[in-house]
Amino acid sequence: GQNIDQPTEMTATEGAIVQINCTYQTSGFNGLFWYQQHAGEAPTFLSYNVLDGLEEKGRFSSFLSRSKGYSYLLLKELQMKDSASYLCAVIEAGTALIFGKGTTLSVSS
Amino acid sequence: GAVVSQHPSRVICKSGTSVKIECRSLDFQATTMFWYRQFPKQSLMLMATSNEGSKATYEQGVEKDKFLINHASLTLSTLTVTSAHPEDSSFYICSARTGGDSQPQHFGDGTRLSIL
């Protein structure tokens, strides 16, 4: 089975940088995804990591360490619209995404 | 690109009614579609995985006779909640993927189902 842990809630201010951590345990790791979900809406894809290292995409970056079973999502220059839930999801070979419980990020001015 | 359309967006109906939810990939062919359920302030829980032309694979604890899934083409999957009861009230979300595990799943906008 899989076990995915991430903090339940985080708060930050506009313009700041925030790092959302995710640890996972899985028997057949084949990639890790980050999704953003605003309340009442469907998740939208942010990033995918399968090799160790940092993937940068605009204000968002995602890091993966396979040996440590660890990933983080880094959000820079925070904006109010970044207030949302951020979902860490892991995929094993030939299966569907399994989601963590999500981290609710609140950005204040 | 990679747009997934889900319909209807909201359903309110009486207990005992059957409800059909459609999930369409509009601009790509989805080799695999997934159905998730999400209760308030909880994560998405995978219900089933379906591949075009074959029977869906249900997750443990999901009743296949209650949640009927049909994946008739590479662009359409349907979920029918049969004889729905209040405990079936939830947010149902489909996703679609083309290709293998490294491809992201693209989500529909979800269907909020309320059973009275």
Side-chain angles (χ1 to χ4, degrees):
Chain A
Q2 296 171 328
N3 188 33
I4 303 171
D5 288 315
Q6 50 183 130
T8 305
E9 294 180 337
M10 297 184 72
T11 59
T13 54
E14 271 189 302
I17 299 173
V18 70
Q19 177 175 311
I20 303 174
N21 296 324
C22 172
T23 58
Y24 63 89
Q25 294 174 316
T26 181
S27 54
F29 179 82
N30 208 28
L32 185 144
F33 292 80
W34 284 95
Y35 280 80
Q36 181 192 59
Q37 185 179 26
H38 285 98
E41 299 180 10
T44 55
F45 169 72
L46 291 178
S47 67
Y48 169 71
N49 296 70
V50 67
L51 300 177
D52 286 354
L54 187 69
E55 295 280 344
E56 296 185 77
K57 193 183 292 186
R59 293 190 298 116
F60 293 3
S61 303
S62 58
F63 171 83
L64 176 69
S65 168
R66 293 180 65 144
S67 61
K68 295 181 179 179
Y70 167 69
S71 173
Y72 68 72
L73 179 70
L74 192 71
L75 293 77
K76 302 176 185 176
E77 301 170 17
L78 280 175
Q79 303 174 9
M80 296 293 285
K81 68 178 182 179
D82 297 329
S83 293
S85 286
Y86 291 86
L87 309 176
C88 173
V90 172
I91 192 163
E92 296 179 346
T95 69
L97 284 174
I98 303 299
F99 286 85
K101 293 184 177 180
T103 299
T104 300
L105 174 65
S106 300
V107 180
S108 59
S109 56
Chain B
V3 178
V4 175
S5 173
Q6 188 172 338
H7 179 79
S9 59
R10 184 170 182 89
V11 179
I12 302 172
C13 57
K14 293 180 179 179
S15 184
T17 307
S18 291
V19 178
K20 179 187 278 189
I21 303 170
E22 290 189 350
C23 180
R24 295 180 184 269
S25 55
L26 298 185
D27 52 1
F28 67 100
Q29 292 189 325
T31 51
T32 310
M33 286 185 167
F34 308 89
W35 288 95
Y36 290 84
R37 180 167 52 183
Q38 186 175 35
F39 292 103
K41 298 190 177 182
Q42 295 189 21
S43 187
L44 285 81
M45 298 300 296
L46 178 66
M47 297 176 67
T49 302
S50 74
N51 294 290
E52 183 263 340
S54 60
K55 288 184 178 180
T57 302
Y58 290 81
E59 294 299 299
Q60 193 171 9
V62 178
E63 300 174 56
K64 61 180 181 181
D65 293 332
K66 181 168 186 64
F67 299 99
L68 301 178
I69 291 172
N70 184 281
H71 193 162
S73 74
L74 284 172
T75 60
L76 173 64
S77 176
T78 61
L79 167 68
T80 301
V81 184
T82 61
S83 186
H85 292 286
E87 58 266 28
D88 298 323
S89 298
S90 187
F91 190 50
Y92 292 86
I93 311 176
C94 74
S95 67
R97 184 181 73 191
T98 185
D101 297 338
S102 65
Q103 299 301 311
Q105 292 176 208
H106 299 284
F107 287 83
D109 287 336
T111 297
R112 190 160 300 284
L113 177 63
S114 299
I115 308 297
L116 306 178

